[in-house]
Amino acid sequence: MNKFKTMQDFRKFYPRLERASGIQRKSPKDIRADYSSLEKDEAYKDVIVTVDGRIRSFRSAGSKLVFYDICNGESSIQALCNLKIIQDQLDGEQEQVKAEWKEFTQISRKGDWISVTGHPSRTAAGELSITAMSIPRITATSLHQVPDELVDSERRSRSPHVNLIVNRRPRDTLRMRHHVEKFIRDFLEAHDLIHVRTPMLSTDVGGATARPFTTSATEFPENELSLRIAPELFLKRLLVGGIEGVYEMGQAFRNEGIDTTHNPEFTICEFYKPFATLEDLIKMTEDMFIGLAEHTAALKRDQLQSLEPLDVEFSAPFERLEFIPSIESAIGQPLPDLSASNAQPALLQLFQSLGLKPPASPSLPRLLDSLSSTYLEPQCTSPTFITHHPEALSPLSKSFVDPQTHQRVAARVELFIQGREFVNAYEEENGPFEQRRKFVEQVQYRKLDGAADEGEREVMVDESYLEALEWGLPPTGGWGCGVDRLCMLFSGAIAKFYQDQAGFTCISAPHVKLSTSRINDDFCDCPDGSDEPGTSACSYISSLSPPSTPGDVSSGNVNASLALPGYYCKNKGHQPSYLPFTNVNDGVCDYELCCDGSDEWAGVGKVKCEDKCKEVGAKWRKQDEIRQRALSSANKRRNELVTESARLRREVADRIKTLGEEIKGAELRVQGLEEDLAEIERQERTKVVKGESAGGRLGVLTSLAKARISELRVNLVAVRGERDAGYERVKKLEDILAAFKEEYNPNFNDEGVKTAVRAWEDYAAAGRLGDSDTQIEQDLDEITKSDEENGLNWAEYEGQQEGDVDVLYQFEEYLPAGLRNWVDKKLRDLRVMLIDNGIIAPASEQGGESQAVKDARERLNLANTELNGQRTSLDQHKEDLEKDYGPDDVFRALKGQCVSKDSGEYTYELCWMEKTVQKKKRGGGDTNMGNFMRIESIEVDEDVDQDGKGLGSGVRTALKYENGLQCWNGPQRSTTVVLACAAEDEIWKIIEEEKCVYRMEVGTAAVCEPAPGDKRHVKDEL
């Protein structure tokens, strides 16, 4: 500040931005993305950019060289400011440049915003930088010293802007909130809900049981206004008006207490979906929270790395506790009839018998809520639904008589995680009379709480809402969630079981509370040993320890099961871990799990284990960096596979739709061809036998004779041709054998040749084939001449005058078209009747099936063949669409691709989703080791190489290939392909577990899903 007092003009340190033409303005993130390919000592001198950011740190290498680390958001870049380079670039007065350089280097400090113009480069040390071409310019200066750290909670809350500057975690928390809210909005809108805004101020409040903030308006000061405590009643009015489904995410206000998870002003999200049941709401809640867990885990891994991974496993279905049966099971006796008039005094008596202190205002709802917070909520460490609350706790919910407990309960559910409520949902009461009854009962309960006076009854009953119900609210499912608490959960702000800084609560026995001084004091105070995570005082509770019974732990209802997996090693400089209690003070340094040597704190056998976490951690981090890069590459590859699988799946679905349309068209075509065939057969069946000419019976006979003679002539010509061809072949063979006989050398002693010669001599002695008989040939020539050449003129017979019968045959030709068709149909029907009754013979009996019928039948057969092919293809595509291709259909993108491994004598090949093959290198056929059958999950526990190639421990995806080539004197070959995450598809290992039963260990990006139970970076609350 003293430096600025000497300045005459402060405004130059808060200038307006100027955009220089031809110079791009880039963020540090853009610089790293665009110029990461630069090599050491390389620079893009023809590229000039401007980078703006806040000085996070700086270091000087003399008076003329300063390195600034500037950041904007979570990205940073180094600015290399060299006075000599700047002087070479500027043509002005050198002394003036020196003066400006001196002023900038003396004034600039950590926290200032500066603008640096220069070209991208990489230093000899490999650091990507911006080499300044001019003196950097301060764009906004920080007049306060930015602290290196800010740990004081009061200052963090009073100066949140300073906290944001110093600590990354609050910045990441704000970004996490943005992503959580966006995910919820996208999720609800994907379920066809629309976002609306409802009033913040109203004369009546409702939708929850809470004390509102009150105010008044200057226009009508006599009317008291209240800030809303929930948007529920306004949203349900929209459904009465016909809106199909609504949600709102906005502020609500409740004039009540403040703690770490309660604030008078908070963000609430509520949705109302017509015709949604309680099970529908539970399913939507499970889907939303599982999706949020996966989404936020990916954000923490890739972007928001200051936030710890969530130590909660979300997997459907969530656990469920039914309110009344669970409490009755916990207290060992039934609850009184909660609908009876004496329910409240009966519960007070129950509290007295259980030794529980009743709440200050012991109304029936408060007594029931106290039982829930004592016996149910502590059980809800993992995501758990508490269902079917007593009707008195849910005035806005539908209610019914539980057939198990015979108590009147609400169709309501609450989601608890780590003992805290996150979701409240129920089937809305839509009966105006029943709703009025419940409102009146709520007023009576609040009177007992001391929250209402006798005259407040009409105020509490929301008459306008009841009037809205009279117009008809459809059966509706309602859902509400506190967004702030949800963001705290997924950003890691809620620590499991360690919420009270003034004391400690035993994990599996929440009613046992200890002071912080009793934690890790070498005395086992909790029945589950959770108070001694850093000592071996509670080792007798572990199943790894010798059996023993603690003298100060009472049996009864206390859950004394193991809560901690072993001795906690902090391993500063590396990763904390747990060591089995039996390994503590055993005289052996367990550096793999406890690199800090704290497991041998007692020095048994004079063994002292030095702290090796620095070197072990450095080596681990180096390997982990390589693994993380490979994992990032693998996840990117998997995303590509999922995208490709989705495209292929859409293609199959589109093809199914296209085939469906094509099959409908083909079926119509087949139906038409069947009708055509039937009609042609009918016409042919009723056809009167007539010749090609218009003659009478003689003409018919002539036509038939002509056709028969023509057919004989054609066949005769064909037979004659075959005979001539036979003559030619025999003559050629005789010529070959004759030449063979003449060239035969009797001195050549070959029995086969001698036998052939003797056979030829026998054949020649019997007489060789002579020339054809000339007379016979002449006769055949005459026979094959046309009928006209032989003097037979068929036209003379075919052209005879028509007789009366012939005229009758053509009678219909003289009629009009319409009448002719009618007469033709009647005549054909008459002929069918005569044929069916055996009076006349059908036309088919006289000459076989006509060409027209054959053509029609062939067309029908072709259409049927095409239709069957399309149906087969449709079945195959449907089967492919229903086939299990793994999570996200990821293996669909790999189907048919093959990966192989050279293994000495053989090459082993894996073809995804098809088969596994063993190939011989020295020839021979391939051996089928199995055809793909199904996808399974198997448990493995194996080491992982330093290069990351290995299955590791846990559940892994396995592909089963069976029914391969039969093994000699053994089973059919089969292969189990066990998969692990890798950037590239690669076969790591092939093992023959037993005869012809193989196991492949394969790396692929297809299975690179973050393990839901991965707790590698979980921070221990102690």
Side-chain angles (χ1 to χ4, degrees), residues 164-298:
L164 288 169
I165 294 174
V166 176
N167 297 317
R168 177 175 177 176
R169 181 183 175 88
R171 300 196 298 271
D172 284 352
T173 301
L174 285 175
R175 294 188 180 96
M176 176 62 78
R177 183 185 181 101
H178 161 73
H179 288 290
V180 169
E181 291 185 358
K182 183 177 185 299
F183 182 94
I184 295 174
R185 292 179 189 275
D186 294 342
F187 180 87
L188 296 179
E189 289 171 9
H191 284 76
D192 300 325
L193 299 172
I194 62 173
H195 185 251
V196 296
R197 293 289 186 188
T198 57
M200 289 282 184
L201 286 170
S202 65
T203 55
D204 297 317
V205 295
T209 303
R211 182 183 295 109
F213 287 94
T214 58
T215 184
S216 61
T218 54
E219 289 295 324
F220 35 91
E222 68 282 359
N223 293 335
E224 184 180 77
L225 298 176
S226 300
L227 290 174
R228 71 178 182 188
I229 59 176
E232 176 173 352
L233 302 185
F234 293 109
L235 293 172
K236 287 194 282 191
R237 285 181 172 91
L238 296 176
L239 269 63
V240 172
I243 303 298
E244 62 276 12
V246 296
Y247 80 94
E248 180 174 10
M249 188 182 298
Q251 300 304 105
F253 308 87
R254 297 180 184 179
N255 194 2
E256 296 179 340
I258 300 177
D259 59 29
T260 55
T261 58
H262 291 85
N263 197 46
E265 177 186 359
F266 63 98
T267 305
I268 192 170
C269 178
E270 293 189 5
F271 75 77
Y272 295 89
K273 189 175 180 64
F275 310 107
T277 65
L278 197 64
E279 288 299 324
D280 296 333
L281 298 175
I282 290 174
K283 180 66 168 59
M284 287 181 67
T285 304
E286 289 175 340
D287 292 344
M288 177 188 291
F289 274 72
I290 292 172
L292 264 174
E294 294 174 350
H295 183 59
T296 55

Side-chain angles (χ1 to χ4, degrees), residues 768-1015:
R768 296 178 61 181
L769 180 67
D771 295 332
S772 59
D773 191 331
T774 304
Q775 186 59 44
I776 295 175
E777 294 298 322
Q778 290 177 353
D779 291 342
L780 289 175
D781 289 340
E782 289 297 325
I783 293 172
T784 55
K785 285 182 179 180
S786 65
D787 294 335
E788 288 76 6
E789 290 176 327
N790 286 325
L792 181 58
N793 187 3
W794 293 106
E796 296 177 359
Y797 301 97
E798 293 174 336
Q800 289 185 3
Q801 184 67 28
E802 296 179 351
D804 295 338
V805 175
D806 301 312
V807 174
L808 180 61
Y809 285 160
Q810 293 189 348
F811 170 74
E812 62 182 53
E813 296 182 4
Y814 299 98
L815 298 176
L819 184 58
R820 182 168 63 247
N821 293 336
W822 181 83
V823 170
D824 180 73
K825 182 177 183 305
K826 294 300 181 181
L827 288 175
R828 293 184 183 279
D829 292 342
L830 175 61
R831 183 167 178 80
V832 169
M833 185 271 291
L834 295 175
I835 291 174
D836 290 342
N837 289 277
I839 300 174
I840 62 174
S844 60
E845 293 179 2
Q846 300 175 8
E849 196 174 64
S850 68
Q851 188 63 36
V853 174
K854 291 179 180 179
D855 293 343
R857 193 179 304 281
E858 183 178 357
R859 289 194 297 271
L860 177 60
N861 290 338
L862 288 174
N864 272 320
T865 301
E866 181 181 357
L867 176 60
N868 292 333
Q870 290 173 334
R871 285 172 174 166
T872 301
S873 179
L874 178 62
D875 292 339
Q876 292 173 347
H877 280 77
K878 285 183 176 179
E879 181 181 353
D880 182 70
L881 198 63
E882 296 172 357
K883 187 176 180 180
D884 181 13
Y885 282 100
D888 299 323
D889 253 13
V890 67
F891 290 110
R892 186 184 294 275
L894 292 173
K895 183 180 180 181
Q897 299 181 24
C898 298
V899 57
S900 60
K901 178 178 178 63
D902 189 345
S903 183
E905 183 180 355
Y906 300 101
T907 297
Y908 291 91
E909 184 175 72
L910 162 66
C911 292
W912 297 103
M913 312 303 285
E914 290 183 353
K915 61 181 179 179
T916 53
V917 180
Q918 182 190 62
K919 298 182 177 181
K920 291 184 178 180
K921 291 185 177 180
R922 299 181 180 178
D926 298 341
T927 301
N928 186 338
M929 297 167 59
N931 300 306
F932 175 75
M933 299 299 293
R934 61 191 175 276
I935 301 176
E936 295 181 349
S937 295
I938 65 173
E939 190 85 22
V940 298
D941 186 11
E942 299 187 11
D943 295 331
V944 179
D945 298 339
Q946 291 186 356
D947 56 4
K949 296 181 179 181
L951 300 180
S953 299
V955 178
R956 297 291 181 265
T957 300
L959 309 181
K960 298 293 289 186
Y961 291 77
E962 298 175 350
N963 302 327
L965 186 66
Q966 183 74 35
C967 190
W968 182 82
N969 196 23
Q972 285 183 294
R973 287 173 169 82
S974 63
T975 308
T976 300
V977 180
V978 188
L979 305 177
C981 178
E984 301 293 337
D985 296 342
E986 182 181 3
I987 299 175
W988 293 333
K989 188 186 298 183
I990 303 100
I991 307 168
E992 187 172 5
E993 296 181 318
E994 53 184 279
K995 187 172 184 179
C996 298
V997 178
Y998 302 90
R999 170 186 168 115
M1000 283 188 182
E1001 297 179 4
V1002 179
T1004 177
V1007 295
C1008 289
E1009 282 291 339
D1014 186 5
K1015 302 180 181 179

Side-chain angles (χ1 to χ4, degrees), residues 640-654:
E640 294 172 353
L641 291 175
V642 171
T643 302
E644 177 65 12
S645 297
R647 185 189 67 80
L648 294 174
R649 185 178 179 86
R650 287 194 300 271
E651 286 185 358
V652 174
D654 293 342

Side-chain angles (χ1 to χ4, degrees), residues 406-466:
H406 305 290
Q407 299 268 23
R408 192 160 186 83
V409 298
R412 176 186 176 190
V413 64
E414 287 182 301
L415 176 64
F416 280 79
I417 304 172
Q418 296 181 346
R420 295 184 180 274
E421 177 195 352
F422 283 87
V423 171
N424 184 24
Y426 42 80
E427 296 177 10
E428 303 291 337
E429 179 59 72
N430 61 344
F433 305 108
E434 189 69 6
Q435 186 64 78
R436 179 180 293 276
R437 177 184 69 82
K438 295 178 180 179
F439 275 163
V440 171
E441 288 182 355
Q442 186 184 28
V443 171
Q444 298 300 326
Y445 294 142
R446 286 179 60 80
K447 287 180 180 178
L448 291 175
D449 293 341
D453 296 328
E454 187 66 31
E456 278 192 301
R457 176 174 178 176
E458 292 300 320
V459 176
M460 290 297 299
V461 176
D462 191 336
E463 295 292 344
S464 64
Y465 175 67
L466 292 175

